[in-house]
Amino acid sequence: MSAISPDDTAPKTLGTNGIVAVLAFAGIVVALMQTLVIPIIPQLPTLLNASAANTAWVVTATLLAGAVAVPVMGRLGDMFGKRRLLLVGLALLILGSVVGALSDTVLPLIVGRALQGLASGVIPLGISVMRDVLPREKLAGSVALMSASLGVGGALGLPAAALIAEYADWHVLFWTSAALGVVVTVLVVLVVPESTVRAGGSFDFPGAAALSIALVSLLLAISKGSSWGWTSTTTMGMLALSLAAFLFWGWWELRTPLPLVDLRVTLRRQILFTNLSSIAIGFALFAMSLVFPQVLQLPTETGYGLGQSILAAGLVMAPSGIVMMFVAPLSARITTTRGPKTTLMLGAAVIAVGYLIGAVTLHAVWLLVLISLVIGAGIGLAYGAMPALIMGAVPASETGAANSFNTLMRSLGTSFASAVAGVILAQLTVSVGGREIPSEAAFHVTMGVAAGAALLSFFLAGVIPKPSSSWDPAPRGAEPSGFPV
């Protein structure tokens, strides 16, 4: 089945540039949900009259919902239309934002945040739409920009959310996200065409259920392990349930004729090592978000804290998002001329350099800005290469599921980063003013571990087979060729 041409359905006045701009904007808006509540997390117990343990679910619910939604929406997009499922995701984001805006207690806010998390499939679906409807010569740059929107939205969202939280009622955060969701939805309806590429078949309900149980159990163990106790019965039980569910899921996916994720394709060297490298890159991305705000906001009396406000901390992070956007064309150019494997390896190396600087020193605001710029540039390069590697190894009818699975791998990496960094920062502490805070060594160790994750990504990317010719996203609607398996 062949892809449609943009000229068949898209408004001629906007053309392909309009499609790319709208899809990238949609990705940024969805990514904003990651950092939407970070500035108000310390105040949530007071604002909602709830315990800190209960308000922590405001963050966890989004993580769990996104893990379930990403692979499911990817497969449904392949079956029923990627643009259609993209609109479903945006509708869920709007609904969740309205629920959050109307909440004054913890339970409805958790529900609203879970609904926002269900929109996480928008970014991989947008990448898949691009493959189906854009001219081949524009695909690499467009995919790089769309993929980078995940990091751009997260980086820009923190200062924007901090500004709103500091000068307005916290409910305005959710009204703002609802308004952005409405704007994006209208733009998608007006500008983005639907792809005619379909996978067909029926939905794999047992596979979706097993993968959902496996992911939710694993992420619960990771995110709650520090509060439950890493060796507690609850944590170990969740890990055991996750392992059992993953084993059943793998067994089922290899036997069902229409799997949620085609594991035979996923185990090809190009896709397997791209996904493994993505986990490590996701780890490296999130480590900076955990370390920098704390270092910036700790009092100068500690000897290593920089005594800045949450708004200032967000502004320090913002340049990394901007540089990701500007690096996307460079990522596309390298991918087109040298191949996406080279781009991914270069991105991982740049990220490692940034974190290695942070592992040695974090003594000034300007230095943290510099480090965030270096890491942002590396992430922009790496994120643009991953979808190119995936799309070069799967048929067009499976790009939704394949890109969604890759996005899920990045999300798992960020979850692992949260757990590992949490352990490091909790174990290496000093007492200041009668309270325990992470020591300077804890921050340097965390940065060193993130540098190690980036280097691991570099070596995993090095195992990816090199294409026999210059990169090409594979003939639309056909099986990929030119890559050894």
Side-chain angles (χ1 to χ4, degrees):
M1 191 177 297
S2 62
I4 61 176
S5 166
D7 295 333
D8 294 335
T9 54
K12 296 180 184 296
T13 54
L14 291 173
T16 56
N17 289 335
I19 296 171
V20 174
V22 169
L23 289 175
F25 182 41
I28 290 172
V29 170
V30 170
L32 286 172
M33 299 308 107
Q34 295 180 336
T35 50
L36 183 69
V37 298
I38 287 180
I40 62 171
I41 286 176
Q43 289 81 42
L44 280 179
T46 301
L47 294 172
L48 300 173
N49 193 27
S51 66
N54 286 337
T55 57
W57 285 97
V58 171
V59 176
T60 305
T62 309
L63 174 70
L64 299 180
V68 173
V70 164
V72 171
M73 290 182 69
R75 174 60 180 161
L76 290 174
D78 285 337
M79 292 174 60
F80 302 112
K82 303 175 182 77
R83 174 181 176 270
R84 182 175 298 169
L85 266 294
L86 192 151
L87 289 171
V88 170
L90 292 173
L92 291 170
L93 184 149
I94 296 169
L95 177 60
S97 299
V98 172
V99 171
L102 296 174
S103 300
D104 287 310
T105 56
V106 68
L107 183 58
L109 185 57
I110 291 172
V111 172
R113 289 287 291 163
L115 289 169
Q116 288 182 325
L118 292 175
S120 299
V122 164
I123 293 175
L125 284 169
I127 292 170
S128 300
V129 169
M130 287 178 173
R131 183 189 187 181
D132 293 347
V133 306
L134 294 182
R136 193 175 300 273
E137 65 273 12
K138 291 200 170 199
L139 187 59
S142 302
V143 165
L145 180 61
M146 184 70 188
S147 185
S149 68
L150 181 62
V152 173
L156 297 181
L158 187 58
L163 183 65
I164 293 172
E166 187 166 335
Y167 295 104
D169 181 81
W170 66 273
H171 294 90
V172 175
L173 290 170
F174 290 90
W175 286 122
T176 302
S177 65
L180 288 171
V182 170
V183 171
V184 172
T185 301
V186 172
L187 289 173
V188 170
V189 170
L190 294 177
V191 176
V192 179
E194 180 61 275
S195 164
T196 59
V197 178
R198 298 284 193 277
S202 58
F203 185 71
D204 177 18
F205 286 102
L211 182 60
S212 298
I213 293 170
L215 290 171
V216 169
S217 302
L218 176 62
L219 292 174
L220 275 175
I222 292 172
S223 60
K224 294 295 182 181
S226 58
S227 57
W228 289 344
W230 291 106
T231 58
S232 69
T233 303
T234 304
T235 302
M236 299 306 293
M238 285 293 172
L239 291 173
L241 177 60
S242 177
L243 177 60
F246 271 124
L247 290 174
F248 172 80
W249 176 71
W251 173 84
W252 175 264
E253 296 297 279
L254 291 172
R255 283 159 179 76
T256 185
L258 295 169
L260 178 72
V261 178
D262 191 338
L263 289 183
R264 290 180 177 85
V265 174
T266 304
L267 292 175
R268 292 175 181 172
R269 276 179 61 196
Q270 178 158 330
I271 298 181
L272 175 63
F273 284 99
T274 299
N275 284 331
L276 291 175
S277 182
S278 297
I279 295 174
I281 290 291
F283 187 107
L285 167 65
F286 201 60
M288 176 175 64
S289 301
L290 293 171
V291 170
F292 281 17
Q294 294 193 64
V295 173
L296 285 161
Q297 293 178 77
L298 283 174
T300 55
E301 290 77 14
T302 61
Y304 53 90
L306 299 177
Q308 302 295 314
S309 67
I310 180 63
L311 178 58
L315 291 173
V316 168
M317 301 285 289
S320 67
I322 296 171
V323 79
M324 286 179 209
M325 192 180 302
F326 283 106
V327 164
L330 175 62
S331 174
R333 183 172 180 83
I334 298 172
T335 292
T336 302
T337 57
R338 307 286 297 180
K341 171 182 175 176
T342 300
T343 314
L344 178 55
M345 294 180 70
L346 178 61
V350 172
I351 294 170
V353 169
Y355 275 115
L356 286 173
I357 297 173
V360 176
T361 179
L362 296 167
H363 71 271
V365 173
W366 70 265
L367 186 59
L368 267 63
V369 173
L370 174 64
I371 294 171
S372 71
L373 287 172
V374 173
I375 295 173
I379 290 169
L381 289 169
Y383 269 28
M386 292 172 192
L389 285 162
I390 296 297
M391 291 190 296
V394 300
S397 60
E398 296 181 14
T399 53
N403 278 322
S404 294
F405 195 73
N406 179 254
T407 300
L408 176 62
M409 294 301 101
R410 300 187 221 176
S411 297
L412 287 178
T414 62
S415 300
F416 293 143
S418 177
V420 172
V423 170
I424 295 172
L425 297 177
Q427 294 298 317
L428 300 176
T429 62
V430 294
S431 180
V432 176
R435 66 188 184 101
E436 295 292 318
I437 61 172
S439 66
E440 183 177 13
F443 295 120
H444 291 311
V445 169
T446 302
M447 298 292 277
V449 171
L455 291 173
L456 175 60
S457 178
F458 175 87
F459 289 116
L460 287 169
V463 182
I464 297 172
K466 189 174 182 178
S468 56
S469 58
S470 61
W471 178 77
D472 184 66
R476 293 184 176 122
E479 288 294 338
S481 60
F483 296 97
V485 177

